[in-house]
Amino acid sequence: MFEIGKIPPQILEKLVLEPVTHSKIQRNDIVVRPKTGEDCSAIDPQGELCVFSTDPITGATKDAGYLAVHINCNDVFSSGAEPVGILMTVLLPKNSDEKDLEVLTKGTLEAAAEVGIEILGGHTEVTDAVNKPVIAATIIGKTKNRNMICTSGAKVGQDVVMTKWAGLEGTVIIAQEYETQLQNVVPKTILEEAKSYKGFLSVGKEAKIAVEHGATAMHDATEGGILGAVWEVAECSGLGVTVFADNIPLTEATQSICKNAEIDPLLLISSGTMVITAFDGQALVEKLQKAGVQAAVIGKITEKEKLIQKNGTEKTLQQPVSDALYQVKFRQV
């Protein structure tokens, strides 16, 4: 069991630095890599724009390292850029041991290999300030031909397209964190399907297709879910939007899990789901589906009001307050 404080260098070398520096991803644009005592890494962006973003993982304990990599990479993908490397600060609670750190590192490297980035460094310690693993990560990316797409780029008259299904990441988290409770209320096949959504958390493929189509705004649907992401795109662009809620794709597994957790899947954290604004959204949907990415037109960018249409009624689309993940009713055991 670890003592409170920084992870001992010999343990850090064995469980983190050795696997990181010998991973199968070795990019040419990384010029200084992490090692004990080295405070900084370095990249050579070769004349491109460097794109930075940061996000924590606080709502999950299982697969926290894996999730941290993907949700941060998704922010860079959403800017139309390519993720290059990631820095991670890992805070472990008291009573953590080598197995905990080994599992976290394995998940981190698995996700990094999937998106083709390197771990550039960070900080790892045990502290009584947290009661479960907390990861804060910073992702570094680079543009192609210095082109960058911003969340604020939506234009009046564009279609709002979403990829995959609403509540994607949240479904994975709930299925893993509350597996014992769910085993009693949902079929095993549903639970296993929900956990398998882990393989859909990257938005790299759809980002590339959307950029080629001419998308002017892209946004990863994180906290606040799909409705929160659409609201943020409209707000950031200084425009309105009408959401066609009946068009939002939902899987049977997400609907079943959210029903039992007594939460709204449209307000559930949904990393892996991208919101895109573009003209001729249906053509974009067809391109995405041809590439094997589920997609649907779920709204229209307008001049002023933010509205949502559902079951034949229309009302104001509200700013999200708290993610549905934090409103799950059953307790962890």
Side-chain angles (χ1 to χ4, degrees):
M1 198 176 301
F2 294 133
E3 298 292 332
I4 291 179
K6 293 176 72 172
I7 300 298
Q10 64 273 21
I11 300 298
L12 193 67
E13 286 281 351
K14 181 179 76 170
L15 298 182
V16 180
L17 294 178
E18 181 71 16
V20 163
T21 54
H22 288 81
S23 71
K24 55 187 174 182
I25 302 297
Q26 296 283 300
R27 298 179 59 103
N28 293 331
D29 42 14
I30 307 298
V31 293
V32 177
R33 291 183 168 85
K35 62 181 180 180
T36 302
E38 190 71 71
D39 288 331
C40 298
S41 295
I43 70 169
D44 178 1
Q46 300 173 339
E48 290 294 344
L49 298 176
C50 273
V51 179
F52 301 87
S53 184
T54 184
D55 258 320
I57 288 290
T58 58
T61 54
K62 298 178 181 178
D63 278 330
Y66 184 91
L67 292 171
V69 171
H70 273 301
I71 68 164
N72 278 277
C73 284
N74 284 350
D75 285 339
V76 169
F77 282 132
S78 296
S79 74
E82 175 192 7
V84 171
I86 192 167
L87 295 144
M88 305 178 71
T89 294
V90 177
L91 303 179
L92 299 172
K94 286 195 307 182
N95 303 324
S96 295
D97 56 25
E98 291 189 22
K99 183 63 176 177
D100 297 321
L101 184 57
E102 184 178 16
V103 169
L104 191 149
T105 302
K106 182 179 178 181
T108 299
L109 289 170
E110 179 186 354
E114 289 174 358
V115 291
I117 66 168
E118 288 197 44
I119 311 299
L120 299 179
H123 178 85
T124 310
E125 72 170 82
V126 176
T127 173
D128 56 8
V130 300
N131 55 24
K132 61 182 179 180
V134 172
I135 302 176
T138 297
I139 186 77
I140 301 170
K142 65 179 183 180
T143 57
K144 182 177 181 180
N145 300 323
R146 300 180 67 84
N147 291 326
M148 182 174 175
I149 293 177
C150 297
T151 305
S152 59
K155 301 181 185 300
V156 174
Q158 286 184 321
D159 294 311
V160 179
V161 173
M162 68 167 280
T163 64
K164 304 184 184 115
W165 315 276
L168 190 53
E169 181 191 358
T171 300
V172 176
I173 292 174
I174 295 171
Q176 292 181 329
E177 301 291 326
Y178 299 94
E179 183 172 5
T180 301
Q181 297 90 325
L182 287 168
Q183 285 174 341
N184 300 321
V185 292
V186 301
K188 182 178 179 181
T189 54
I190 290 290
L191 189 55
E192 292 305 311
E193 179 186 340
K195 290 191 288 186
S196 77
Y197 294 165
K198 171 184 171 182
F200 294 93
L201 294 182
S202 175
V203 298
K205 181 186 287 188
E206 52 257 56
K208 183 177 180 180
I209 295 169
V211 169
E212 293 172 350
H213 178 80
T216 63
M218 300 192 297
H219 193 45
D220 187 33
T222 52
E223 287 205 29
I226 186 64
L227 294 186
V230 174
W231 187 94
E232 288 176 345
V233 169
E235 180 72 10
C236 194
S237 300
L239 297 172
V241 66
T242 298
V243 178
F244 314 135
D246 297 328
N247 291 359
I248 296 176
L250 279 166
T251 67
E252 180 185 358
T254 293
Q255 292 181 75
S256 178
I257 284 175
C258 288
K259 180 179 178 181
N260 282 284
E262 299 181 39
I263 57 174
D264 186 346
L266 303 189
L267 299 175
L268 179 61
I269 188 167
S270 193
S271 293
T273 300
M274 178 176 273
V275 173
I276 306 162
T277 71
F279 293 108
D280 199 355
Q282 188 56 44
L284 174 57
V285 166
E286 291 170 5
K287 292 175 184 176
L288 289 163
Q289 291 178 338
K290 186 176 180 180
V293 179
Q294 166 67 37
V297 174
I298 63 159
K300 196 79 149 180
I301 297 297
T302 61
E303 291 187 358
K304 293 183 180 179
E305 292 184 281
K306 299 180 183 70
L307 303 170
I308 180 169
Q309 297 176 354
K310 188 175 183 179
N311 298 326
T313 64
E314 184 175 80
K315 61 182 181 179
T316 300
L317 176 65
Q318 300 292 338
Q319 178 181 0
V321 179
S322 177
D323 194 271
L325 183 64
Y326 306 121
Q327 299 165 18
V328 171
K329 298 299 181 182
F330 39 70
R331 295 181 179 178
Q332 288 175 299
V333 294

